Amino acid sequence: MSVNPPVTLREIARYLDTNLSCDVLAIDNFSPDPELEVYPVRIDALIIMLCTSGNGCVHIDLNKYDLKKGSLLVVHPENYIQGVTHDDDFGSQAVICSPRVVEHILPKLTSMLPIIMQHRMAPVTDLTPEEAAAISSFYTFVKLKLDGPPTTYQRHKVLCMLQAALYEMMDVRMSHFELQEQKQSRKEEIMARFILSICKHFRTERQVGFYAKQLCITPKHLSSVVKEASGRTAGEWIDHYVVMEAKMLLGSTDLTVQEISSKLNFANQSFFGKYFKHNTGLSPTEFRHKQLHNK
């Protein structure tokens, strides 16, 4: 589906929630979303957006990123988006892919995992004019096919072009971060797989041992690799994702603290409250009241 009028990320999230058969959206323009100034949103989709004019900014997982002409923004389904703003002449081209499409087009190559992880940890890349033109050409093709009449191989053509665009983005990422084509180190691979596993299991699993078992290594080895690769402990990474999810649920849903505690697999509300306050300095109720007061 192709969308021409400006839309907000909240509208995209609602559309994807109610149109489960939608696999790919092509969007010419985003509108600022005042709600996101207070409440974060997590869209169950991969967002690839190229800024074509103007300036803006976006908060991804509580980190602020500036956008300008040539900025490429990649938001994964597990990322939290908040505070999207831009000036009046801001222009963009964006493709939104459902998890089904992501699983289909994502290259299953171990050597690419660290590069994919870089997109998760640093979602904005400033492209050269030539790189931006290359990415834009993929968007133009996808939008053209989505706007055209349905054909037998329409979906296949769109998916092939999206996969080609992903490879193009990997090439760009490698050149920007001076990554060579040689094999990525075992430590980089472990770190990448660890984060991907957290994104999948953090709502139910908070023990380092669980993730070590998933990676077929010892907890001690996992802890050592993660600390060396990121400067954070494995436990801190797990806590980061749990707290981000809790903040989103407290700030943007009507779920009670007890319901959120259960949703995140805590033994009881009291334990969840102590865990949340230890990591944020506020109780869940205090955090929710603060968010409502700042709205």
Side-chain angles (χ1 to χ4, degrees):
M1 177 180 175
S2 177
V3 181
N4 291 318
V7 296
T8 68
L9 287 172
R10 288 278 183 185
E11 290 169 338
I12 293 170
R14 284 192 287 266
Y15 181 84
L16 292 175
D17 284 342
T18 56
N19 293 269
L20 300 180
S21 62
C22 179
D23 273 340
V24 181
L25 289 172
I27 298 172
D28 279 332
N29 234 331
F30 281 118
S31 285
D33 193 338
E35 290 183 30
L36 290 188
E37 288 299 312
V38 178
Y39 298 126
V41 64
R42 189 184 66 245
I43 298 177
D44 190 22
L46 174 70
I47 300 175
I48 303 171
M49 188 195 79
L50 176 67
C51 177
T52 56
S53 63
N55 296 278
C57 72
V58 60
H59 288 78
I60 306 292
D61 291 350
L62 301 183
N63 296 311
K64 179 184 176 182
Y65 299 94
D66 293 321
L67 302 173
K68 61 183 180 180
K69 182 178 180 180
S71 293
L72 179 67
L73 170 68
V74 180
V75 182
H76 290 260
E78 294 83 8
N79 288 137
Y80 298 83
I81 311 171
Q82 186 174 10
V84 181
T85 59
H86 58 69
D87 53 28
D88 292 338
D89 64 343
F90 183 84
S92 63
Q93 298 173 332
V95 173
I96 319 293
C97 302
S98 73
R100 291 184 300 275
V101 169
V102 174
E103 290 176 6
H104 183 88
I105 67 174
L106 191 65
K108 307 297 183 182
L109 299 178
T110 298
S111 62
M112 281 193 173
L113 273 174
I115 307 171
I116 295 169
M117 273 304 306
Q118 286 180 3
H119 276 300
R120 287 183 182 272
M121 308 310 297
V124 176
T125 305
D126 291 328
L127 308 182
T128 66
E130 294 75 20
E131 291 168 341
I135 297 298
S136 181
S137 67
F138 289 109
Y139 170 84
T140 300
F141 180 90
V142 169
K143 186 174 186 302
L144 178 66
K145 295 306 169 185
L146 291 176
D147 284 342
T151 66
T152 303
Y153 297 106
Q154 180 189 47
R155 187 173 187 274
H156 293 79
K157 288 183 286 188
V158 169
L159 294 182
C160 286
M161 186 54 62
L162 288 173
Q163 189 170 46
L166 185 58
Y167 277 110
E168 182 72 21
M169 289 162 53
M170 296 304 164
D171 272 339
V172 168
R173 201 70 175 187
M174 290 178 74
S175 65
H176 276 250
F177 286 85
E178 299 180 350
L179 293 175
Q180 304 301 316
E181 291 185 7
Q182 72 265 19
K183 256 187 183 178
Q184 301 298 327
S185 73
R186 173 64 175 161
K187 290 182 179 179
E188 289 174 320
E189 179 188 340
I190 289 174
M191 182 65 196
R193 291 191 180 280
F194 172 59
I195 297 298
L196 292 175
S197 186
I198 292 178
C199 291
K200 184 177 181 180
H201 298 291
F202 75 87
R203 294 172 188 82
T204 57
E205 303 292 344
R206 288 186 293 277
Q207 299 300 316
V208 174
F210 169 84
Y211 295 97
K213 187 175 181 180
Q214 293 286 305
L215 301 177
C216 301
I217 58 177
T218 66
K220 182 178 180 180
H221 184 46
L222 175 60
S223 298
S224 174
V225 169
V226 170
K227 182 68 174 179
E228 182 180 340
S230 68
R232 289 183 178 182
T233 67
E236 286 172 342
W237 275 110
I238 298 167
D239 289 341
H240 171 75
Y241 279 90
V242 175
V243 170
M244 284 296 302
E245 180 77 0
K247 286 182 176 180
M248 189 200 72
L249 294 172
L250 287 165
S252 59
T253 75
D254 293 327
L255 294 174
T256 66
V257 174
Q258 175 61 56
E259 288 171 332
I260 293 172
S261 171
S262 298
K263 197 175 183 69
L264 293 176
N265 203 41
F266 283 87
N268 53 60
Q269 181 177 332
S270 175
F271 186 63
F272 168 62
K274 292 177 181 177
Y275 175 91
F276 188 84
K277 188 164 187 175
H278 173 75
N279 284 280
T280 68
L282 297 171
S283 71
T285 301
E286 289 170 339
F287 177 83
R288 174 168 272 174
H289 286 165
K290 184 178 179 181
Q291 294 295 299
L292 290 172
H293 178 74
N294 290 337
K295 186 175 180 181

